[in-house]
Amino acid sequence: LQHADVPAQISSTVVLVPPTTRVGQSVRKGQLLVELDNVDYMQEVIRAELSLASAKSEQAILDVEREAAEERAALAMQDQTLSEAELKRVTDAFNRGVAKQREVDHAQQKTIATSSVAVNAREAANRFPSREEQSSSAISTKMAELTLAQENLRRCKVLSPIDGVLQEIDVRVGEHVINGKRIARVVNSGIMEIPLRLPSYARS
């Protein structure tokens, strides 16, 4: 009643069929049945690891840039506040007749310039939350890619899913297998169902 058709979960070439993988041999759950070529999948793992490391480095750089942007925004706002205070003082002096129009114009120009710088600095700082969210999303994607690459590398070793006996072996060394192709069939005869044919008069 218990049996398993063991499929290949990746496409690759058979590089090893152990001596224990023979029809009629007993196998244990987790025992190696067939090993597939893992070179391509190992390279995928390496690329995924490097890509994840690069994404994490970019996030670290982004943290530094955000701190600097927030400091620049704070300084720009302080400069804007000082410029506005200076403009107020010059305007008051002009209204009392102790300052010239040229001084008022100069103070206004400086206030406009510092306000523009403050707006730009705030805008740059406000962009970082969305950039950090994108960076975090990129890291999650790279981690998922690495997990999948590691899983595909693990799948290069085809293991028996149950205890039992090898009933069939469908591959040999050098053969190319595709995802879903059956590698072997394992049967556990610990629980069996035997149909019995009885004559109708024995029904009672």
Side-chain angles (χ1 to χ4, degrees), residues 198-204:
L198 299 174
S200 60
Y201 63 79
R203 193 174 296 165
S204 60

Side-chain angles (χ1 to χ4, degrees), residues 124-198:
N126 291 336
R127 288 179 181 175
F128 278 89
S130 59
R131 291 179 61 186
E132 288 177 342
E133 185 176 348
Q134 291 175 350
S135 176
S136 179
S137 178
I139 289 177
S140 297
T141 300
K142 302 300 182 183
M143 290 178 67
E145 292 174 354
L146 175 59
T147 299
L148 179 59
Q150 291 172 337
E151 183 66 15
N152 284 335
L153 180 61
R154 183 191 64 79
R155 289 169 177 167
C156 290
K157 292 185 177 181
V158 182
L159 309 177
S160 175
I162 60 172
D163 296 337
V165 176
L166 283 169
Q167 187 181 60
E168 295 180 41
I169 301 295
D170 300 328
V171 297
R172 57 182 180 272
V173 173
E175 182 177 350
H176 183 77
V177 298
I178 61 174
N179 186 6
K181 175 180 172 60
R182 192 179 78 167
I183 297 291
R185 181 180 174 86
V186 181
V187 176
N188 187 335
S189 58
I191 301 176
M192 301 180 67
E193 183 181 80
I194 304 175
L196 298 179
R197 298 172 64 86
L198 299 174

Side-chain angles (χ1 to χ4, degrees), residues 14-22 33-35 169 171-174:
V14 178
V15 294
L16 175 65
V17 179
T20 54
T21 305
R22 297 289 182 271
L33 299 180
V34 170
E35 187 169 347
I169 301 295
V171 297
R172 57 182 180 272
V173 173

Side-chain angles (χ1 to χ4, degrees), residues 25-188:
Q25 290 281 346
S26 297
V27 294
R28 304 291 296 175
K29 180 178 180 180
Q31 181 175 326
L32 179 67
L33 299 180
V34 170
E35 187 169 347
L36 305 176
D37 186 10
N38 66 357
V39 173
D40 292 343
Y41 298 100
M42 195 175 297
Q43 292 301 316
E44 287 183 2
V45 170
I46 294 173
R47 283 197 297 268
E49 289 175 343
L50 293 175
S51 182
L52 177 59
S54 177
K56 288 183 176 179
S57 297
E58 290 177 0
Q59 188 180 51
I61 293 173
L62 198 61
D63 291 339
V64 174
E65 290 179 349
R66 179 178 184 175
E67 291 180 3
E70 289 177 346
E71 289 179 3
R72 284 194 295 269
L75 292 173
M77 291 179 67
Q78 290 178 7
D79 195 18
Q80 181 185 9
T81 301
L82 293 174
S83 297
E84 291 173 349
E86 178 66 18
L87 175 61
K88 187 176 184 302
R89 285 193 297 270
V90 173
T91 302
D92 291 341
F94 177 77
N95 292 333
R96 294 196 305 271
V98 295
K100 297 179 180 180
Q101 182 64 45
R102 182 177 64 254
E103 295 173 334
V104 176
D105 294 341
H106 178 72
Q108 286 179 337
Q109 290 177 346
K110 184 177 180 182
T111 300
I112 292 171
T114 55
S115 297
S116 177
V117 171
V119 169
N120 293 335
R122 282 196 301 268
E123 180 186 8
N126 291 336
R127 288 179 181 175
F128 278 89
S130 59
R131 291 179 61 186
E132 288 177 342
E133 185 176 348
Q134 291 175 350
S135 176
S136 179
S137 178
I139 289 177
S140 297
T141 300
K142 302 300 182 183
M143 290 178 67
E145 292 174 354
L146 175 59
T147 299
L148 179 59
Q150 291 172 337
E151 183 66 15
N152 284 335
L153 180 61
R154 183 191 64 79
R155 289 169 177 167
C156 290
K157 292 185 177 181
V158 182
L159 309 177
S160 175
I162 60 172
D163 296 337
V165 176
L166 283 169
Q167 187 181 60
E168 295 180 41
I169 301 295
D170 300 328
V171 297
R172 57 182 180 272
V173 173
E175 182 177 350
H176 183 77
V177 298
I178 61 174
N179 186 6
K181 175 180 172 60
R182 192 179 78 167
I183 297 291
R185 181 180 174 86
V186 181
V187 176
N188 187 335

